[in-house]
Amino acid sequence: CTEAYIFQLREYWRALEAMGSNVEVEYVKMLHRAQFPPSIVRADLLFKVANFFLDMTKYEGAEKMFLLARTHYENSSSTLNLAKVDYALGNLYSLRGKHNQAVVCLKRSLQCHQQEGGESIEQAMAMERLGTVYMNSGKLEEAKKILNSALELCERKFGANNNTTADIIYNLGCITFADAKAGCGGVDQLKAEKLARKALDIKAIVLGDWHPEVARVLNRLASIFIEQNQFNDAEACYEQALLIREEKLGKHHTRVLQTLKHMISCFEMQEKHSEAVDCSLRAKEITDVLFGPKSEESIS
């Protein structure tokens, strides 16, 4: 599917939801009723649907589809496909804060790659994601160890300018930033900024300046600038991230909401109350669309 088609599909999904349909539930029911070709063909379809659910932040539906796909891949004894779906499940559980489940899935993915032999970019991706889970669960030393191993593999086998290398550098920057916030000094903040800028440069080269992944790194860079009281630089990063996410994901996406919340905090720190209110109103509109005007998210 092209990027434009995915964008249109997102908008159609939201239009159906606005009409009162629970699209996720109905889609899952339809897939259970439908007669698809067996084994890998069916698994591939379920895997694609799961990824679209994930993109729409419909995590329960995504989990159901990934698990169904895994069953079919397991029945077909497809080791690399099992590695693929275990990686996806690990990523999903990581997003939902289920770190223990994420670690289990990602270690299974790595074992599958090791069984196949050789060194692949997919193996490096699984190592990067496992390092991210360790980082998010506070196991920074384990995270550093596996991320540095992944970086060595990536740069040796696939070169400096690839997306996985950028992700690894980004995460090492996040760990450095966490160390700096814990009181390790301004030097670490400058090192974190340098790593974030390097990840940003690679993302822009590989994916283009207007890719959502570029926005993700801009958000992190803005956080680093805030810690250094460089509010003008932080605002510029957030504004560019917001433009990218609105353009590529749609104006009512959760990632747009995330950036707006960061901007509210940034403006409030500077007592720019008018700008903070503007962002709050935009965030309220998105929350109403995504969760309903009477939801806890919208009321808060």
Side-chain angles (χ1 to χ4, degrees), residues 44-154:
D44 287 344
L45 174 63
L46 292 167
F47 186 80
K48 289 176 182 177
V49 172
N51 274 311
F52 180 68
F53 278 6
L54 184 61
D55 179 63
M56 295 298 294
T57 64
K58 304 298 181 181
Y59 295 142
E60 289 186 9
E63 183 179 3
K64 289 176 183 176
M65 294 297 102
F66 280 135
L67 289 171
L68 277 173
R70 192 183 193 284
T71 299
H72 291 296
Y73 284 137
E74 197 168 28
N75 290 339
S76 65
S77 301
S78 179
T79 303
L80 288 180
N81 279 322
L82 275 175
K84 175 181 73 174
V85 78
D86 278 333
Y87 170 83
L89 279 166
N91 182 48
L92 172 62
Y93 290 135
S94 173
L95 289 171
R96 301 184 74 181
K98 297 181 178 182
H99 300 307
N100 290 338
Q101 289 171 269
V103 168
V104 170
C105 290
L106 292 166
K107 284 185 174 180
R108 278 200 316 237
S109 180
L110 282 171
Q111 287 172 357
C112 288
H113 286 298
Q114 290 163 0
Q115 287 173 18
E116 290 295 307
E119 295 174 317
S120 65
I121 193 67
E122 289 80 12
Q123 179 180 351
M125 288 169 63
M127 293 169 71
E128 180 274 326
R129 187 52 47 189
L130 183 57
T132 303
V133 174
Y134 283 143
M135 177 182 70
N136 291 338
S137 54
K139 299 178 179 178
L140 299 187
E141 292 307 314
E142 292 97 323
K144 288 178 190 177
K145 182 177 179 180
I146 195 164
L147 287 170
N148 279 312
S149 295
L151 183 61
E152 187 279 328
L153 169 60
C154 260

Side-chain angles (χ1 to χ4, degrees), residues 1 3-15 27 52 56:
C1 294
E3 184 178 298
Y5 179 78
I6 293 294
F7 181 87
Q8 291 171 358
L9 196 55
R10 288 194 201 106
E11 294 302 302
Y12 180 60
W13 179 294
R14 293 193 181 101
Y27 213 111
F52 180 68
M56 295 298 294

Side-chain angles (χ1 to χ4, degrees), residues 232-253:
N232 289 337
D233 291 330
E235 287 179 27
C237 287
Y238 283 140
E239 287 167 4
Q240 183 62 21
L242 184 66
L243 287 172
I244 293 169
R245 286 178 163 175
E246 287 182 332
E247 173 72 20
K248 297 299 182 181
L249 302 176
K251 292 185 180 294
H252 298 117
H253 196 278

Side-chain angles (χ1 to χ4, degrees), residues 179-196:
D179 285 341
K181 288 192 72 173
C184 297
V187 174
D188 276 344
Q189 287 184 355
L190 293 175
K191 183 180 177 183
E193 179 186 339
K194 182 178 178 181
L195 289 167

